[in-house]
Amino acid sequence: MQDCTHGDPLCQNADMDDRKSVEPPHPAQDVTEHVGYRLKRAAAALRGAMDKALREHGLTVPQYACLELLDQQPGLSNAELARGTFVTRQSMNVVLRGLQDAGLISRPATTDHGRALPAHLTAEGRGRLDAARSTVYDIERQMVEAVPQRRLAALLSDLDRMAAALGG
Amino acid sequence: MQDCTHGDPLCQNADMDDRKSVEPPHPAQDVTEHVGYRLKRAAAALRGAMDKALREHGLTVPQYACLELLDQQPGLSNAELARGTFVTRQSMNVVLRGLQDAGLISRPATTDHGRALPAHLTAEGRGRLDAARSTVYDIERQMVEAVPQRRLAALLSDLDRMAAALGG
DNA sequence: TTGCTAATGTCAGGACTTTGACATGCAGGA
DNA sequence: TCCTGCATGTCAAAGTCCTGACATTAGCAA
């Protein structure tokens, strides 16, 4: 059977089989067995890999996420981008200013209707995104290939279910 | 911004390698379809829920994770706790200092062998942990109950596989 | 012994993110 | 009309986290 896949000295339990048979409502005795811990671990691994890969392109993870969202849905506002990348409006505001200063996106100073300022990719921004996208997609492929293909859809669904259950 | 509701399992495409397949509304690749996006979303939801719940107990998420780890494995050092919570030694150092100032953990100023300083929960720290644990476990239960029980083990395994594939 | 490597704790600086707050603009009903 | 509620953009302050760097210590090999 599978052993402790996380290679740190923090997994000292030898009774994984017992726990699996008693998995219902009661939580496990070992935090490293908890769903939250695994989720955090996977997310941290993804974040770290993306961080390293994007640094070579002069982008941070939130910046890349912002560019990717703007590429698919041009004209998104600051608040919309914030919701799409799971950060606050204030954080996204900083990100947008950085991208704007770098000339990767453009935003009108004013608008004739409402307060939302639609952002758009510049030519340079699109180029930077295209360059960075390949490395990010490589990372994504590594993740996808690590899980059995027949379970991928279920995995995506379960991730969504968990997020929805927590009001994500 | 339109939200693509992927909560239903109908959103599964049989061929994983062909990313640009079905999905009537959006013909091309949609970032919200990517594993990384879903993972980030679920992790963000968990983080937010834990953040809100722990604030009532005067703890941050890293602080709680640190206490939980120390409860199960007393005597862990700063570096070991950092690895266990997926942050750097420096970040964990800050967390430990905060917990120490709050009187929730204790750490010797020196050691006779090596440099690692073993940390231990104080009585107050254990009490605070016990109080916070119930709310965190409630959140965890919400997550677990959102996914079909027969898929839970596979979900945990797949999360580990993805993390391992990225060198987590 | 001596030197090298790896791991640890710590400091400094910067980058990122959050909470809190305030002002602006639109849509609804009294 | 007014005005209340809601969403948005922005500023300020604090907290959090990271990268880079340095000194200390144990373990191992020549």
Side-chain angles (χ1 to χ4, degrees):
Chain A
M1 194 46 210
Q2 95 286 17
D3 53 347
C4 181
T5 55
H6 32 305
D8 52 11
L10 300 168
C11 189
Q12 298 179 341
N13 60 316
D15 54 345
M16 182 175 291
D17 295 334
D18 291 341
R19 184 168 300 101
K20 217 183 279 185
S21 60
V22 197
E23 63 181 328
H26 280 41
Q29 296 300 323
D30 188 340
V31 264
T32 63
E33 280 300 311
H34 291 211
V35 183
Y37 190 86
R38 308 291 188 94
L39 187 57
K40 187 174 180 181
R41 176 174 141 89
L46 171 61
R47 174 72 183 231
M50 286 184 65
D51 224 38
K52 185 163 79 73
L54 288 174
R55 195 174 306 126
E56 301 171 1
H57 294 274
L59 290 175
T60 65
V61 173
Q63 283 176 338
Y64 168 78
C66 183
L67 293 180
E68 191 76 60
L69 238 50
L70 277 179
D71 181 49
Q72 291 191 352
Q73 302 181 38
L76 287 181
S77 70
N78 177 28
E80 290 170 322
L81 287 167
R83 282 192 293 269
T85 55
F86 317 113
V87 296
T88 60
R89 297 193 308 269
Q90 296 87 331
S91 297
M92 181 51 65
N93 200 352
V94 176
V95 172
L96 279 184
R97 205 171 313 171
L99 289 174
Q100 211 163 354
D101 292 346
L104 302 182
I105 68 167
S106 66
R107 242 186 350 162
T110 61
T111 177
D112 53 348
H113 182 276
R115 262 200 115 193
L117 303 176
H120 291 269
L121 288 182
T122 63
E124 187 180 351
R126 187 176 303 272
R128 191 82 73 91
L129 174 60
D130 287 339
R133 198 171 355 222
S134 62
T135 66
V136 173
Y137 280 14
D138 280 345
I139 295 174
E140 177 120 4
R141 188 162 37 76
Q142 287 180 33
M143 278 205 309
V144 169
E145 289 175 352
V147 6
Q149 291 193 14
R150 63 184 177 281
R151 278 202 245 139
L152 183 61
L155 174 63
L156 291 176
S157 170
D158 290 341
L159 285 175
D160 276 351
R161 288 168 188 261
M162 291 194 299
L166 298 179
Chain B
M1 161 164 89
Q2 102 290 359
D3 54 349
C4 35
T5 59
H6 290 301
D8 51 11
L10 297 176
C11 181
Q12 60 180 16
N13 35 359
D15 193 350
M16 175 180 56
D17 295 331
D18 189 359
R19 283 201 177 76
K20 42 180 100 122
S21 48
V22 282
E23 190 66 23
H26 283 71
Q29 309 173 354
D30 187 342
V31 265
T32 62
E33 279 297 315
H34 292 209
V35 183
Y37 190 87
R38 309 289 189 95
L39 187 58
K40 185 175 180 181
R41 177 174 139 93
L46 171 61
R47 174 72 184 231
M50 286 184 65
D51 224 38
K52 186 163 79 73
L54 287 174
R55 194 174 307 127
E56 301 172 1
H57 294 275
L59 290 175
T60 65
V61 173
Q63 283 177 337
Y64 167 78
C66 183
L67 293 181
E68 191 75 60
L69 239 50
L70 276 179
D71 181 49
Q72 292 190 354
Q73 302 180 37
L76 286 182
S77 69
N78 176 30
E80 289 170 323
L81 287 167
R83 282 192 293 268
T85 56
F86 317 113
V87 297
T88 60
R89 298 193 305 265
Q90 295 86 333
S91 297
M92 181 51 64
N93 200 352
V94 177
V95 173
L96 279 184
R97 208 171 310 174
L99 289 173
Q100 210 164 355
D101 292 345
L104 302 183
I105 68 166
S106 66
R107 238 184 355 160
T110 61
T111 177
D112 53 348
H113 182 276
R115 265 200 112 194
L117 303 175
H120 291 269
L121 288 181
T122 63
E124 187 180 353
R126 188 174 303 273
R128 189 82 71 89
L129 173 60
D130 287 339
R133 201 179 342 232
S134 61
T135 67
V136 173
Y137 279 14
D138 280 345
I139 294 174
E140 177 121 4
R141 186 164 39 76
Q142 288 180 33
M143 278 206 308
V144 169
E145 288 175 353
V147 5
Q149 286 196 14
R150 69 192 59 174
R151 286 212 297 247
L152 184 60
L155 174 63
L156 292 177
S157 170
D158 291 341
L159 286 175
D160 275 352
R161 290 167 187 263
M162 291 193 300
L166 297 179

